[in-house]
Amino acid sequence: MKVIIIGAGVLGLSVARQLAVAGQDVLLLDQRGAGTGTTATTFAWTNSSRKPDPNYHRLNLAGMEEHARLAGQLRGAPSYFAVGAQQWADAANEQRLADNVERLRALGYPAHWVTPDEAARIAGGLRIPATITSLAHFPSEGYVLPDRLVNSLLADAERHGATFAIGEVVAIDDGPDRVSVTLAGGEVRTGDRVVLAAGRWTERLAARAGIDVPMVTDTGRGAQIVGLLGYARSPQLDLRCVIHSPGLNLRPEADGHTVLQALDLNAHVDPADPPSADGDIARTLARRFSALLPDPSQAPEIDLRIGLRSLPADGHTIAGYASAQSRVYCLVSHSGITLAPILGRLVAAEITNDQEEDLLGAFRPTRFNGLRRSDIEVAQHATTLGEQ
């Protein structure tokens, strides 16, 4: 079977690798390069912490478990780190944290309270402010180094026979016997199936094939898909897990660097007018980071990067054929980092075996059929402790 995958982000790469391992003929296309879209600007926290929908929670749990299996199969430097995560609450956030810990523990999700001394020992390299009143530890969570994961997935896919090429897809023809894609230069590629895994570009490309994949697309100042990350080059820290505090989220990066995220600042970010390295947003991020350092007098060096997230309109993953007759498989998710390994395996199995996987049953694109957009859209601004 010839499968064309549009989009070489972490989802497209995961599917490409699994299909190649299964012996399928795989062509992977991306308009810029592997991992250069949403995957390049993600906080990359693996979790099922605030996923109240039971189906979505189960899928994210499966994603976390699949990461561990995948890590044992990929070559090269490790990209997945199941080192746990912590959430630190102040008086304004402690009830919300307590409610979530209680909910998760009732589901059997590992979550427990820790003392400040225990939290400091687990986290490493940080100072816990006096304003923190409660601390929770989630030992099954972790993080990914996206660039390493992208490189490992692509290398393994190519090792198993997949072909990767740069090419901008401008049209998709979903025919009764074959499906074809047309590239910007006029070249046409044909196959038996197409996997549309183009992240935030998915809705636009799907529409060109007459397929409705409703997504959040506004990229203006403070829009729901806009997210700011800071990459702290110094000071170098011995940070050992993911941290969520009231004003700042942190995760380890390679070489002692740290990725920073302050969700409330996203409201002031305009992709068309990026914040400057010496502006108010940069100074606020640096001040909050310094407040968590063992030596607050250290002046951090932080590079800013704006990300545009892939948000289905109802907040949940989309995975499935556009219709019973379609040869186009649509795949998009806001939880791409957590779900990439499990979606890669399940989607490849559905395409290869032509049988539905139970875990994906609630996430078909056909769930939108006959609904008005106003019936499905939900607010997805991530602004408070433990959100993404």
Side-chain angles (χ1 to χ4, degrees), residues 45 47-53 56-57 60 87 93 95-101 103-104 109 138 141 384-388:
W45 166 40
N47 75 97
S48 190
S49 179
R50 294 191 183 271
K51 309 289 193 300
D53 179 84
Y56 200 35
H57 180 68
N60 278 268
Q87 294 185 25
N93 291 280
Q95 187 58 54
R96 188 168 188 272
L97 177 58
D99 291 344
N100 198 48
V101 168
R103 180 185 67 85
L104 290 172
Y109 190 87
F138 305 87
E141 297 177 0
T384 56
L385 184 70
E387 290 185 338
Q388 285 296 305

Side-chain angles (χ1 to χ4, degrees), residues 5-9 28-37 164-169 197-198 201:
I5 299 176
I6 304 171
L28 178 63
L29 298 170
D30 195 276
Q31 62 180 336
R32 298 175 183 172
T36 57
F164 173 59
I166 301 296
E168 180 184 359
V169 174
W201 296 278

Side-chain angles (χ1 to χ4, degrees), residues 15-283:
V15 176
R17 175 191 172 272
Q18 290 284 2
L19 285 169
V21 169
Q24 306 303 328
D25 183 0
V26 177
L27 171 62
L28 178 63
L29 298 170
D30 195 276
Q31 62 180 336
R32 298 175 183 172
T36 57
T38 299
T39 300
T41 50
T42 171
F43 189 64
W45 166 40
T46 57
N47 75 97
S48 190
S49 179
R50 294 191 183 271
K51 309 289 193 300
D53 179 84
N55 292 314
Y56 200 35
H57 180 68
R58 283 194 293 270
L59 185 61
N60 278 268
L61 287 178
M64 296 163 69
E65 295 170 358
E66 194 71 22
H67 263 290
R69 285 191 284 270
L70 178 64
Q73 299 168 5
L74 294 178
R75 303 180 186 179
S79 59
Y80 169 62
F81 302 86
V83 294
Q86 296 184 36
Q87 294 185 25
W88 302 350
D90 54 14
N93 291 280
E94 62 181 6
Q95 187 58 54
R96 188 168 188 272
L97 177 58
D99 291 344
N100 198 48
V101 168
E102 181 179 358
R103 180 185 67 85
L104 290 172
R105 291 174 72 168
L107 294 171
Y109 190 87
H112 59 265
W113 300 106
V114 290
T115 67
D117 286 344
E118 290 171 330
R121 185 172 63 253
I122 294 168
L126 289 182
R127 184 174 64 89
I128 301 175
T131 54
I132 298 301
T133 56
S134 57
L135 306 98
H137 183 221
F138 305 87
S140 66
E141 297 177 0
Y143 69 94
V144 165
L145 296 181
D147 55 343
R148 287 192 190 175
L149 181 57
V150 163
N151 292 337
S152 295
L153 287 171
L154 179 58
D156 209 47
E158 291 181 325
R159 189 177 299 116
H160 286 88
T163 300
F164 173 59
I166 301 296
E168 180 184 359
V169 174
V170 297
I172 303 171
D173 182 13
D174 188 7
D177 301 314
R178 301 279 281 174
V179 62
S180 64
V181 301
T182 302
L183 304 183
E187 183 181 2
V188 177
R189 299 293 190 99
T190 62
D192 301 291
R193 299 288 187 275
V194 161
V195 178
L196 181 53
R200 63 182 182 270
W201 296 278
T202 297
E203 182 179 34
R204 173 170 56 83
L205 284 174
R208 295 177 182 177
I211 300 168
D212 183 25
V213 181
M215 296 182 64
V216 181
T217 57
D218 178 20
T219 59
R221 180 183 298 272
Q224 294 181 79
I225 72 171
V226 174
L228 179 72
L229 293 178
Y231 290 77
R233 291 176 281 113
S234 70
Q236 294 188 357
L237 299 180
D238 180 28
L239 183 61
R240 300 169 192 165
C241 70
V242 177
I243 301 293
H244 298 263
S245 74
L248 193 68
N249 300 332
L250 309 91
R251 76 154 167 87
E253 184 54 271
D255 302 320
H257 298 175
T258 308
V259 177
L260 311 174
Q261 181 187 59
L263 295 173
D264 61 307
L265 297 183
N266 291 340
H268 310 289
V269 175
D270 184 353
D273 184 20
S276 64
D278 58 353
D280 290 342
I281 290 177
R283 286 194 294 269

Side-chain angles (χ1 to χ4, degrees), residues 328-346:
V328 178
Y329 195 107
C330 303
L331 181 63
V332 62
S333 179
H334 172 40
S335 302
I337 288 292
T338 297
L339 296 180
I342 189 64
L343 289 176
R345 180 167 66 80
L346 296 180

